[in-house]
Amino acid sequence: MATVKEKVVYRLKPRKASIILKTSKHLSNTYSSTPYNRFKTAVMQFIGNDNHRAQSTVSKLYGVYLGQTKALRKAYEDDELMNVAIRAIYTTFNATKTKKIRNIPGYFNGVFDSYLDDMYDELMTLS
């Protein structure tokens, strides 16, 4: 009977250790604050599962984001640009529900460009 208790204790120890690791403050969300992960999370909310086609779409959309914001990173903060990009993602994927969009990265490019223009106009009216 002593061997049964030892097996039970042995089985409980790894689970207890994993619960401690999951609740540790130092290990939670270590990678979620990067811009790419924020962007990927926003896109994956609409695309769904994490397969090759979804990853390809995320990469193309993030490439559009990098291309559009390359020169603007000197003038605007990264969080502000990322928030505009996420708003453009929501607009792009909500538009796919009402109309047929053949090129999602191209549509995102147009929407994001429009939002960046609006952000610039807002900055100029404040000056």
Side-chain angles (χ1 to χ4, degrees):
M1 188 128 178
T3 58
V4 173
K5 287 183 181 178
E6 289 175 2
K7 288 181 182 177
V8 170
V9 171
Y10 178 71
R11 288 181 186 166
L12 291 178
K13 283 184 181 179
R15 288 184 185 172
K16 191 173 185 181
S18 65
I19 292 171
I20 292 171
L21 289 176
K22 288 180 183 176
T23 59
S24 175
K25 292 179 184 177
H26 300 290
L27 296 177
S28 64
N29 296 329
T30 55
Y31 297 106
S32 67
S33 62
T34 64
Y36 179 74
N37 283 336
R38 283 185 62 199
F39 194 89
K40 182 177 178 180
T41 303
V43 173
M44 288 298 181
Q45 287 178 355
F46 291 98
I47 292 178
N49 60 354
D50 194 18
N51 57 17
H52 178 67
R53 181 175 290 174
Q55 184 60 41
S56 173
T57 303
V58 170
S59 296
K60 289 176 186 176
L61 293 175
Y62 193 68
V64 170
Y65 166 76
L66 291 176
Q68 290 272 357
T69 61
K70 183 176 182 180
L72 298 174
R73 288 190 208 126
K74 296 175 185 173
Y76 297 101
E77 293 185 22
D78 291 335
D79 287 339
E80 191 174 6
L81 292 171
M82 184 55 68
N83 290 337
V84 171
I86 290 173
R87 197 172 84 203
I89 289 169
Y90 289 150
T91 303
T92 300
F93 283 104
N94 283 332
T96 61
K97 295 177 183 179
T98 59
K99 53 184 147 183
K100 177 95 171 128
I101 297 175
R102 293 176 50 188
N103 184 3
I104 290 178
Y107 193 87
F108 172 73
N109 186 23
V111 171
F112 188 49
D113 187 41
S114 174
Y115 283 165
L116 289 175
D117 288 343
D118 292 344
M119 189 171 70
Y120 177 74
D121 290 341
E122 186 179 310
L123 180 67
M124 287 295 120
T125 58
L126 293 175
S127 299

